[in-house]
Amino acid sequence: MLLIPTTFTQSANANQLEACNTEECVSYFKKFKRAARKGYVSAQYNTAKFYYYGYGTEADKALALKYYRKTAVNGSKEAQYMTGLIYVSEPDLQNHEQGIYWLERAAANGHIHAAFLLGKAHAQGDTINGGAPNYQASDIWLTKAFDKRYNKLPALVEELNAKKVFNETNYPSLYNKLVEHNMWLAKNSNGEVALSNWDGKTYERITVTGYSQTEAFDNLLATFRGRNNSTGSRLGSDCQLTGACARKSLNEMKDSQWVSQQ
């Protein structure tokens, strides 16, 4: 896979932590790692982030990969994305086959960053085709990015167009999507590449203010108290990464209508 590490770095920073070695940061790291050892999936995910960014501990991409992969196996698309990202971008940990595998799993689960990066990677070239671009695969993943109106897609389309490889033959699905939605490459008032009607006039922008970082950590830590004998932290996908998932004890599960009908 002809991949440049910087290709993947920017998207990884969307949900980043700042490196921190204060007493508070170290305390959070230790608490989450203890919970991770007890099998709490959300604790494993956050421990991975702490190692990745150096929050409360020394940055260690190998240990970050270990914990991200634990969470990825449980179905978290965020962890699957980060697992794939580390495999393709970290020189000492590179495994392109595993990287593409986990990025594809993340993209299949709806992770838009993963879909875009796969589309870009296949446009650059992959090992399956001896280093030649795989436009068919690129078309599939970039079309998924288009459906989510991924903000970096217009610039990539212009880049492919400048190389004279973006056409109806190489990118039939994405090309026809642009035609169908009457979207054409153009420069906006700031001189940036844009697709006409990209945002459209039917979208309403809503700003939501969530918990602070420490409040989010405290809320998650509160769910780790006591024995890990409920379903809340073991649910599949990314529900397990928040403190908002519904939790049921084993006895409540036994009394539920779903169980009684099995």
Side-chain angles (χ1 to χ4, degrees):
M1 180 68 69
L2 304 178
L3 302 175
I4 302 174
T6 53
T7 301
F8 297 90
T9 303
Q10 191 169 8
S11 294
N13 292 339
N15 194 26
Q16 71 177 18
L17 294 172
E18 294 292 336
C20 175
N21 61 0
T22 66
E23 183 177 342
E24 181 183 57
C25 295
V26 172
S27 176
Y28 276 126
F29 168 75
K30 291 179 177 179
K31 290 175 181 178
F32 273 93
K33 189 169 183 179
R34 281 198 297 269
R37 288 171 176 166
K38 294 179 181 180
Y40 288 98
V41 177
S42 52
Q44 293 170 350
Y45 176 78
N46 280 281
T47 299
K49 288 183 65 176
F50 292 163
Y51 274 124
Y52 188 89
Y53 293 109
Y55 186 93
T57 184
E58 291 293 325
D60 190 320
K61 298 300 174 62
L63 285 173
L65 176 61
K66 172 186 174 181
Y67 281 95
Y68 273 131
R69 184 157 181 160
K70 281 178 179 288
T71 319
V73 169
N74 281 283
S76 164
K77 65 184 178 184
E78 293 295 335
Q80 290 167 352
Y81 169 70
M82 289 303 299
T83 299
L85 184 69
I86 291 174
Y87 272 131
V88 299
S89 63
E90 292 300 323
D92 295 336
L93 300 169
Q94 277 190 352
N95 184 325
H96 290 152
E97 182 177 350
Q98 280 292 301
I100 296 304
Y101 169 77
W102 285 109
L103 285 174
E104 287 182 345
R105 284 192 61 175
N109 284 332
H111 199 293
I112 192 60
H113 295 312
F116 176 77
L117 292 178
L118 283 167
K120 187 171 185 176
H122 283 299
Q124 292 175 337
D126 59 55
T127 55
I128 297 175
N129 295 317
N134 185 340
Y135 295 123
Q136 181 179 9
S138 179
D139 184 40
I140 292 172
W141 294 116
L142 292 184
T143 298
K144 292 182 182 295
F146 172 88
D147 290 337
K148 297 293 185 179
R149 297 298 191 272
Y150 190 73
N151 63 351
K152 298 184 187 304
L153 182 60
L156 178 58
V157 173
E158 184 189 55
E159 179 184 326
L160 296 172
N161 187 56
K163 293 179 179 178
K164 302 187 183 303
V165 297
F166 185 77
N167 51 54
E168 194 171 7
T169 300
N170 292 339
Y171 289 88
S173 179
L174 182 56
Y175 184 93
N176 288 325
K177 284 271 188 178
L178 296 181
V179 173
E180 178 185 350
H181 291 80
N182 193 30
M183 292 183 180
W184 305 102
L185 286 168
K187 296 281 187 178
N188 61 23
S189 58
N190 296 323
E192 300 169 332
V193 179
L195 292 178
S196 60
N197 301 321
W198 181 251
D199 291 325
K201 297 181 180 180
T202 60
Y203 294 92
E204 180 181 2
R205 298 185 181 277
I206 301 175
T207 301
V208 178
T209 302
Y211 293 118
S212 69
Q213 181 172 283
T214 55
E215 287 174 329
F217 285 161
D218 289 337
N219 287 340
L220 274 173
L221 287 170
T223 69
F224 303 150
R225 293 169 184 163
R227 293 179 58 194
N228 187 11
N229 60 358
S230 64
T231 60
S233 66
R234 297 183 184 273
L235 296 173
S237 75
D238 291 302
C239 178
Q240 59 204 321
L241 302 187
T242 73
C245 295
R247 299 171 62 92
K248 286 184 178 293
S249 68
L250 294 179
N251 286 332
E252 288 174 326
M253 284 292 290
K254 291 175 183 176
D255 294 335
S256 71
Q257 182 179 8
W258 182 88
V259 173
S260 65
Q261 290 178 347
Q262 301 306 307

